[in-house]
Amino acid sequence: MRQDDLYINKIDWISICIYVALVIIGWFNIYAAVYDEQFPKSIFDLSINSGQQLVRIGAAFLIILLIMVADYRVFDNIAWILYIIFLVLLIITPFIGKEVNGQILSIGFGSFRIQPSEFAKFTTALALAKFMERPSFDLSTFKHQLQALTIIMIPIILIMLQPDTGTAMVYFAFFIMLYREGMPQRYYVLALTFIAISLLALGIEENLYIVIGVVALVLLLIISGKKKISRIIALVVLGIGIIAYSYSLDYVVSKLPEHQQNRIMVLFNPDLDPLGAGWNVTQSKIAIGSGGFLGKGYLEGTQTKFDFVPEQHTDFIFCTLGEEFGWVGSLVVIILFCSLLIRLVMLAERQKNRFSRVYGYCVISILFFHFMVNIAMTIGLFPVVGIPLPFFSYGGSSLWSFTILLFIFIKLDSHRIQLLGRMG
């Protein structure tokens, strides 16, 4: 392919530089998480996680090269094909996949394995962009709302069958994109109401939330006045609905696996099971807090050295950063993530067609959800659900899927003028 076909001068190098910075910092932190001062090994040693991750980083850069030299039109043309392929992979994963800790998440041959649920994120994003690019598409109509939600819900249901609650939750991040594209606000108000009721129902012991709901209902009834019969009926129905939903939620939670129930309860009461379900979060907070302002120094983290935090090189990688680089190091990484998200919003808003804009906001939604939930999880503000930190956590499927997700958008952005002429 000719050099001018790459449109190098139109590629957003700012996003690429932030990506490279996050990947490199993450790689050094993976080494810190597995470092053994008694038997030190080189960061390049392929027998430890950092060496293996370096190979995956090399593969990620190869993926980037393939995306950037590919015809920009291919992503629009094969969106549905990729979506269907990964739905099929999600269907067969429980039957041919490898079981780890009661979950069947990955498929492959020998030591090479991939997690289809991670890659299905970018295929779902492409499918949504393809579906919503039609001139007749209108999110204010119930038909199109239902169709868009169906595209999102199919992979969620298939992933829940594995079961992988954490990854399934990520797909709800697409609602951020739907909001940008015109999904009525009433759905978001309703969703936030259910979340608030759920937190109240789960967080307050002895069903005190029912008492609060009834008192609030009585006060509203008094204020509403005798003549406003329809409002009174609506409030009564609402009160009954809140109580019924609360009891239903208790029933649903009681049917979850015991470890998931414990994680939810520990969120509201960290001291409930400090040596069991609360161990990860408690040790993670100790590690981050012990880092202080500047941290203990690279490879000097005591929580890390003595393996107090399980999965410290994957889901809890942020606590390694906090312990060794302190508040300053954590702030730098948070600034990098926020800068990338802000930059992507700017790129999405300058797109000349709906396909690229929708896909761009899908990228933003997924990265934001992972970033927010992972850090909230490590500091005890969210249940432990097994969501990796983008570009940071150890693992091939995670790194490659985020890389593909991001660089498809960077590729589309570099051809935004051509996409206008073709799809406008």
Side-chain angles (χ1 to χ4, degrees):
M1 182 171 288
R2 296 176 303 174
Q3 183 74 6
D4 59 343
D5 287 338
L6 292 176
Y7 292 90
I8 292 179
N9 61 322
K10 296 185 182 298
I11 294 175
D12 185 65
W13 292 102
I14 296 177
S15 297
I16 294 177
C17 288
I18 297 175
Y19 164 84
V20 172
L22 288 171
V23 169
I24 292 175
I25 296 173
W27 178 53
F28 277 102
N29 275 274
I30 290 171
Y31 179 61
V34 298
Y35 178 74
D36 186 346
E37 64 179 356
Q38 292 184 341
F39 305 99
K41 294 182 179 181
S42 168
I43 192 173
F44 303 101
D45 193 324
L46 296 180
S47 67
I48 60 176
N49 290 337
S50 59
Q52 296 166 13
Q53 188 71 0
L54 182 61
V55 174
R56 295 183 175 113
I57 292 172
F61 282 107
L62 179 59
I63 291 171
I64 293 170
L65 180 62
L66 293 175
I67 291 174
M68 299 311 290
V69 300
D71 191 320
Y72 66 93
R73 292 164 291 196
V74 71
F75 305 111
D76 175 71
N77 294 334
I78 67 171
W80 285 118
I81 297 174
L82 290 174
Y83 179 71
I84 293 172
I85 288 174
F86 275 90
L87 287 185
V88 173
L89 291 177
L90 288 174
I91 292 172
I92 66 176
T93 295
F95 301 99
I96 67 172
K98 180 180 180 180
E99 182 175 347
V100 178
N101 297 326
Q103 296 176 311
I104 305 177
L105 307 179
S106 63
I107 58 175
F109 303 95
S111 60
F112 178 77
R113 311 194 68 82
I114 64 169
Q115 190 172 332
S117 58
E118 290 289 340
F119 292 93
K121 296 170 189 174
F122 87 85
T123 62
T124 303
L126 285 173
L128 282 169
K130 180 67 175 177
F131 176 71
M132 295 173 64
E133 74 169 344
R134 299 177 303 169
S136 61
F137 182 82
D138 184 2
L139 264 179
S140 64
T141 64
F142 179 75
K143 176 183 176 181
H144 288 165
Q145 293 167 9
L146 183 61
Q147 291 171 336
L149 292 177
T150 300
I151 295 173
I152 298 172
M153 290 305 300
I154 291 176
I156 290 177
I157 294 171
L158 294 176
I159 293 169
M160 287 297 294
L161 295 176
Q162 295 181 359
D164 186 4
T165 307
T167 303
M169 287 175 57
V170 174
Y171 286 76
F172 287 103
F174 288 119
F175 279 83
I176 299 174
M177 176 277 296
L178 294 177
Y179 180 80
R180 165 61 181 82
E181 293 301 315
M183 179 73 87
Q185 294 184 2
R186 61 179 178 272
Y187 294 118
Y188 295 88
V189 173
L190 182 63
L192 290 174
T193 301
F194 274 111
I195 291 173
I197 294 173
S198 300
L199 292 175
L200 189 63
L202 293 171
I204 300 181
E205 298 180 355
E206 299 178 356
N207 295 331
L208 183 59
Y209 57 89
I210 295 180
V211 177
I212 295 175
V214 171
V215 171
L217 179 62
V218 171
L219 291 175
L220 288 172
L221 287 173
I222 295 173
I223 296 173
S224 64
K226 298 181 180 180
K227 295 183 179 180
K228 299 178 180 179
I229 302 299
S230 60
R231 186 177 179 182
I232 294 175
I233 294 174
L235 290 172
V236 171
V237 172
L238 176 62
I240 295 173
I242 290 175
I243 296 173
Y245 173 73
S246 300
Y247 277 112
S248 299
L249 184 65
D250 286 340
Y251 175 78
V252 171
V253 171
S254 69
K255 297 301 180 182
L256 291 174
E258 184 176 356
H259 71 278
Q260 292 185 357
Q261 294 184 43
N262 291 337
R263 287 174 178 177
I264 294 173
M265 293 301 103
V266 165
L267 174 67
F268 298 101
N269 185 4
D271 298 324
L272 181 66
D273 188 13
L275 299 179
W279 175 265
N280 288 24
V281 174
T282 300
Q283 298 303 318
S284 175
K285 290 192 290 185
I286 291 173
I288 295 172
S290 66
F293 187 71
L294 294 176
K296 297 176 180 177
Y298 187 56
L299 304 181
E300 298 297 326
T302 54
Q303 291 290 107
T304 299
K305 287 180 181 179
F306 297 109
D307 295 325
F308 281 106
V309 185
E311 308 298 333
Q312 195 162 339
H313 60 296
T314 54
D315 300 337
F316 283 86
I317 190 70
F318 187 78
C319 71
T320 303
L321 175 77
E323 182 179 21
E324 299 193 346
F325 294 95
W327 182 85
V328 173
S330 300
L331 180 63
V332 168
V333 170
I334 290 173
I335 289 174
L336 283 173
F337 272 109
C338 291
S339 298
L340 178 61
L341 291 170
I342 293 171
R343 183 64 184 173
L344 292 178
V345 169
M346 294 170 61
L347 299 187
E349 288 297 329
R350 77 180 186 183
Q351 297 309 300
K352 306 298 182 181
N353 66 91
R354 180 180 277 183
F355 178 85
S356 297
R357 186 180 71 242
V358 169
Y359 182 79
Y361 270 99
C362 286
V363 176
I364 295 164
S365 301
I366 293 173
L367 292 180
F368 171 74
F369 189 89
H370 269 271
F371 162 67
M372 178 188 69
V373 171
N374 180 272
I375 294 180
M377 186 177 70
T378 60
I379 60 178
L381 296 179
F382 199 88
V384 178
V385 290
I387 291 181
L389 188 61
F391 316 123
F392 232 78
S393 295
Y394 173 82
S397 292
S398 172
L399 175 63
W400 297 335
S401 63
F402 285 126
T403 298
I404 294 171
L405 185 75
L406 174 63
F407 278 87
I408 287 178
F409 181 51
I410 291 176
K411 175 67 174 181
L412 293 174
D413 174 70
S414 68
H415 290 272
R416 58 189 179 276
I417 303 300
Q418 289 78 12
L419 282 164
L420 175 64
R422 180 173 179 266
M423 304 179 189

